[in-house]
Amino acid sequence: MIEEGSKRGKAMVEKRQLFMEMRAQNFDVIRLSTYRTACKLRFVQKRCNLHLVDVWNMIEAFRDNGLNTLDHNAEINVSRLETILSSIYYQLNKRLPTTHQINVEQSIGLLLNFMVATYDSESHGKLTVFSMRAMLATMCGGKIVDKLRYVFSQISDSSGVMVFAKFDQFLREVLKLPTAVFEGPSFGYTEHSVRTCFPQQKIILNTFLDILMADPPPQCLVWLPLMHRLANVENVFHPVECSYCRSESMMGFRYRCQQCHGYQLCQNCFWRGHANGPHSNQHQMKEHSSWKSPAKKLSHAISKSLGCVPIGEPPHPVFPEHTERPQELTHTVVLESPSRLDEEHRLIARYAARLAAEASNSAQQCPPSDLGFNFDANKQQRQLIAELENKNREILQEIQRLRLEHEQASQPTPEKAQQNPTLLTELRLLRHRKDELERRMSALQESRRELMVQLEGLMRLLKDEEQKQASQSGGSPHSSPSHGAGCSMPMPIRSTSAGSTPTHTPQDCLAGVGGDVLEAFAQGVPRNLRNDLLVAADSITNTMSSLVKELHSVDDGIEEEETNMRNGGDRGFRTVTQSKPGIKGKVYFHHKYSPK
């Protein structure tokens, strides 16, 4: 019971989440109900990510979920509605780039709760198909003319004439959206809404679009085109100062007073009814959704006066009165199997038989004097069909051959190394030996560092002993023979015996150890200690040099084995150059990686 109560409480919180966020935007301060309604519905649209779903994608989702075969008054439960919304949002994420992916679960939850609160106020747990399609087609993204065309296809008969009862049903469903955002008193449904929209009797598509896209549109749907205009001007910039708030730039709509010269307001000030100076809220304001410089305005006015610019442009394209019957592509199947050739031959034979039947019927109706001509025409048709059949067969065979060649080319060819296990074994052993030598190199470097640290400790002891002797003899510890005129010069740099080992100084060997060892080499240290240190350093360096040579020999062996396995080098290699720390100069290890 506790778990069920927590789930119910969570569902109630999610149900109120969208409305709480909408109230936090403080849209109620907008004094005009049309703008207030459009702003609220635009917020719901963006918060549920419906603005990213085009109307054509929405229609495709309806068809994929089988909604086009159901009756308008058929009911679907909430679980199926959730499945439909899931398919819409998951398909949306497939179309979006990876950097703009949406939170599918959150979008489904917000939209589902909004639709249930709007169309299932009595908590039946079911919605009609028509209400769901009307809501999603109205609130999704896309052009308003495409949305209205889809709506007209749902409320018209087979002859392309609007059915008033269906339009009345559409108004009932779509006007529940303003009611859901608490704007029902201004845009609620009434029994006279249909006649106020269309006073005439016969309404075709062009008339439907002319009335609903007019300026102004019918009063009950005036918020619908405004919501689309809001979406189009959200990022429009006007480099003009607002006459009330003194903001130096405007975003969105710009409003110019028709009575006060040069008086302009940003959309926030106009929506909230701000006015100052001689301007009044009763003055007529013109809404601007774009910015034109004075030079562009002048050129446009001149072009318009000269007749270069059409005075009035139609709000939508003109569509034919008798719409073409849409093609039924539900059961269309593209054959990719090997039997496709036989299927096409049968189709050609069927068409040939139909042509022959039509020719025979026409021959029966023709006078006897035309029989010879008809016979020759039928013979030519049969010859043409035979030629087309042969050409089609050749084309299909060529397509099959190219497909096989493509499949063979795309399949990875077996490597020659798999046919010679001896070469694979030797190459594996060489790589294993190379790894062991690299590990040994690392161990030697660590040992060398530890040896240098120990030598530094010995140098400290030697220095302390020297200071004690100097203090006992009464001299200063700083009066070392190395500072006098007869000081001995530092020992010359010794070259190693190995030809491939880089020549280095003691300071290079003791890089990163400490200052005492370096000082010991530079000061007057007894000859035998310096010799011992140099011998130890040279021994370690010679060992590392031999190890480098051995690594080079192993690399050469691996390269030779891989070259033999590639039989002429049919695969590329990438060389990675590394330098081992602690050795003067750079020791290069060429690791060759074969792409997998």
Side-chain angles (χ1 to χ4, degrees):
M1 295 296 292
I2 298 177
E3 184 177 357
E4 292 180 358
S6 61
K7 289 182 179 180
R8 191 179 298 107
K10 183 179 180 181
M12 292 297 294
V13 171
E14 292 178 351
K15 187 175 181 179
R16 289 193 220 127
Q17 179 182 355
L18 184 63
F19 296 100
M20 292 172 63
E21 293 179 2
M22 184 179 65
R23 287 178 177 174
Q25 300 295 320
N26 200 19
F27 291 123
D28 290 330
V29 299
I30 301 176
R31 65 187 182 96
L32 300 176
S33 60
T34 305
Y35 288 96
R36 190 168 60 243
T37 305
C39 288
K40 290 181 179 180
L41 292 178
R42 175 63 178 168
F43 173 79
V44 174
Q45 182 189 46
K46 295 180 65 176
R47 188 66 182 87
C48 297
N49 290 311
L50 279 175
H51 67 296
L52 302 175
V53 185
D54 192 80
V55 61
W56 299 111
N57 300 127
M58 192 66 73
I59 296 172
E60 182 182 2
F62 294 159
R63 185 193 62 190
D64 293 341
N65 290 276
L67 297 180
N68 57 334
T69 60
L70 298 178
D71 185 73
H72 284 182
N73 297 322
E75 293 183 342
I76 58 174
N77 54 23
V78 177
S79 60
R80 185 175 180 186
L81 176 60
E82 185 175 4
T83 303
I84 296 172
L85 298 182
S86 300
S87 66
I88 292 173
Y89 283 116
Y90 279 112
Q91 290 296 326
L92 171 63
N93 255 356
K94 291 180 181 179
R95 296 189 297 268
L96 294 176
T98 55
T99 55
H100 293 76
Q101 297 287 298
I102 65 170
N103 189 339
V104 174
E105 298 298 330
Q106 186 182 29
S107 301
I108 293 173
L110 291 175
L111 182 56
L112 182 65
N113 290 325
F114 179 75
M115 294 182 68
V116 171
T118 304
Y119 294 101
D120 188 27
S121 57
E122 297 181 0
S123 301
H124 293 306
K126 293 182 180 181
L127 280 76
T128 62
V129 173
F130 187 74
S131 62
M132 186 198 67
R133 291 162 71 175
M135 182 270 175
L136 292 178
T138 304
M139 293 295 292
C140 67
K143 298 179 180 179
I144 185 173
V145 62
D146 296 332
K147 294 182 179 181
L148 294 178
R149 286 179 61 193
Y150 172 73
V151 170
F152 187 82
S153 68
Q154 302 299 306
I155 61 175
S156 59
D157 56 16
S158 58
S159 61
V161 178
M162 187 188 74
V163 180
F164 278 86
K166 292 184 178 181
F167 179 70
D168 182 74
Q169 185 181 3
F170 168 74
L171 281 183
R172 288 178 184 269
E173 302 301 335
V174 79
L175 291 180
K176 290 179 181 179
L177 293 173
T179 305
V181 293
F182 314 107
E183 297 296 333
S186 301
F187 300 104
Y189 172 80
T190 61
E191 297 179 355
H192 305 287
S193 299
V194 177
R195 290 302 172 186
T196 57
C197 294
F198 303 105
Q200 58 267 48
Q201 296 295 327
K202 184 179 180 180
I203 304 297
I204 60 175
L205 175 59
N206 291 320
T207 309
F208 182 79
L209 295 178
D210 289 338
I211 294 177
L212 293 188
M213 296 182 65
D215 188 17
Q219 180 60 31
C220 61
L221 294 174
V222 68
W223 51 269
L224 181 58
L226 179 58
M227 186 176 68
H228 286 80
R229 296 205 307 272
L230 279 174
N232 294 330
V233 301
E234 283 182 347
N235 299 318
V236 174
F237 174 76
H238 305 271
V240 182
E241 182 183 25
C242 178
S243 301
Y244 183 85
C245 66
R246 300 302 176 185
S247 176
E248 296 181 357
S249 60
M250 302 181 189
M251 294 293 293
F253 286 120
R254 174 171 55 92
Y255 297 90
R256 175 185 289 272
C257 181
Q258 302 297 298
Q259 299 181 20
C260 305
H261 177 71
Y263 193 89
Q264 300 185 87
L265 292 176
C266 62
Q267 66 178 18
N268 290 332
C269 294
F270 176 75
W271 289 353
R272 285 158 176 78
H274 296 322
N276 59 350
H279 179 71
S280 171
N281 289 331
Q282 305 300 322
H283 291 180
Q284 185 179 2
M285 303 289 287
K286 185 176 182 180
E287 181 183 277
H288 295 273
S289 58
S290 62
W291 162 256
K292 291 182 180 179
S293 62
K296 287 185 178 180
K297 290 180 180 179
L298 179 61
S299 63
H300 183 76
I302 294 174
S303 301
K304 188 175 180 179
S305 63
L306 295 176
C308 300
V309 178
I311 299 177
E313 297 181 357
H316 64 84
V318 180
F319 299 97
E321 293 186 7
H322 300 285
T323 58
E324 297 180 358
R325 184 177 181 181
Q327 297 181 357
E328 180 61 38
L329 303 178
T330 307
H331 304 290
T332 302
V333 179
V334 178
L335 298 177
E336 294 292 343
S337 60
S339 61
R340 179 180 179 181
L341 183 64
D342 299 333
E343 291 288 340
E344 292 188 356
H345 289 330
R346 283 197 292 269
L347 287 174
I348 293 174
R350 188 182 304 168
Y351 292 143
R354 183 180 299 175
L355 287 173
E358 292 176 357
S360 62
N361 294 332
S362 61
Q364 292 176 2
Q365 297 174 1
C366 291
S369 59
D370 297 336
L371 289 177
F373 175 76
N374 291 332
F375 178 78
D376 294 336
N378 293 336
K379 185 177 179 180
Q380 292 177 1
Q381 289 178 356
R382 286 195 296 270
Q383 290 177 355
L384 180 60
I385 290 171
E387 292 176 1
L388 292 175
E389 230 177 9
N390 294 332
K391 190 65 176 177
N392 183 57
R393 189 182 296 107
E394 293 175 1
I395 292 174
L396 290 176
Q397 290 175 356
E398 183 68 16
I399 291 174
Q400 187 68 18
R401 184 184 64 81
L402 292 176
R403 184 179 297 170
L404 292 175
E405 289 181 359
H406 176 71
E407 292 177 355
Q408 293 175 0
S410 61
Q411 290 178 356
T413 57
E415 297 183 357
K416 296 180 179 180
Q418 297 178 357
Q419 303 174 2
N420 195 341
T422 305
L423 291 177
L424 274 179
T425 305
E426 293 179 0
L427 181 61
R428 194 178 297 111
L429 291 175
L430 285 173
R431 285 178 176 169
H432 182 67
R433 176 62 175 165
K434 177 182 174 182
D435 294 337
E436 290 182 352
L437 292 176
E438 288 182 350
R439 287 194 294 270
R440 183 180 173 191
M441 170 71 78
S442 300
L444 285 175
Q445 288 180 350
E446 185 65 22
S447 301
R448 178 173 179 272
R449 188 187 65 80
E450 293 177 356
L451 178 59
M452 294 300 103
V453 173
Q454 293 177 4
L455 289 176
E456 184 181 8
L458 291 175
M459 290 301 98
R460 290 199 191 96
L461 293 177
L462 182 62
K463 187 175 181 180
D464 294 341
E465 186 66 24
E466 188 181 30
Q467 289 177 355
K468 288 181 181 179
Q469 291 179 0
S471 61
Q472 289 177 1
S473 60
S476 174
H478 297 285
S479 61
S480 173
S482 61
H483 293 276
C487 66
S488 60
M489 296 298 293
M491 187 175 180
I493 299 174
R494 297 178 58 189
S495 300
T496 58
S497 58
S500 63
T501 305
T503 304
H504 60 279
T505 61
Q507 285 82 354
D508 292 331
C509 295
L510 299 175
V513 176
D516 292 335
V517 178
L518 298 176
E519 184 180 358
F521 278 104
Q523 302 295 332
V525 185
R527 181 62 176 265
N528 56 354
L529 180 58
R530 282 202 305 271
N531 291 340
D532 293 340
L533 293 176
L534 287 174
V535 168
D538 287 343
S539 176
I540 295 175
T541 306
N542 290 335
T543 304
M544 294 180 67
S545 176
S546 62
L547 186 58
V548 170
K549 288 181 178 180
E550 193 168 358
L551 276 173
H552 277 294
S553 63
V554 172
D555 280 339
D556 294 338
I558 293 176
E559 183 177 3
E560 183 178 358
E561 292 295 335
E562 291 180 344
T563 304
N564 293 334
M565 292 168 61
R566 291 193 305 271
N567 192 13
D570 56 346
R571 303 179 70 181
F573 286 84
R574 178 168 57 91
T575 303
V576 180
T577 306
Q578 298 178 350
S579 60
K580 298 294 183 180
I583 303 177
K584 181 177 176 59
K586 293 183 179 179
V587 180
Y588 295 92
F589 299 90
H590 300 276
H591 303 279
K592 296 176 175 59
Y593 297 93
S594 175
K596 297 180 180 180

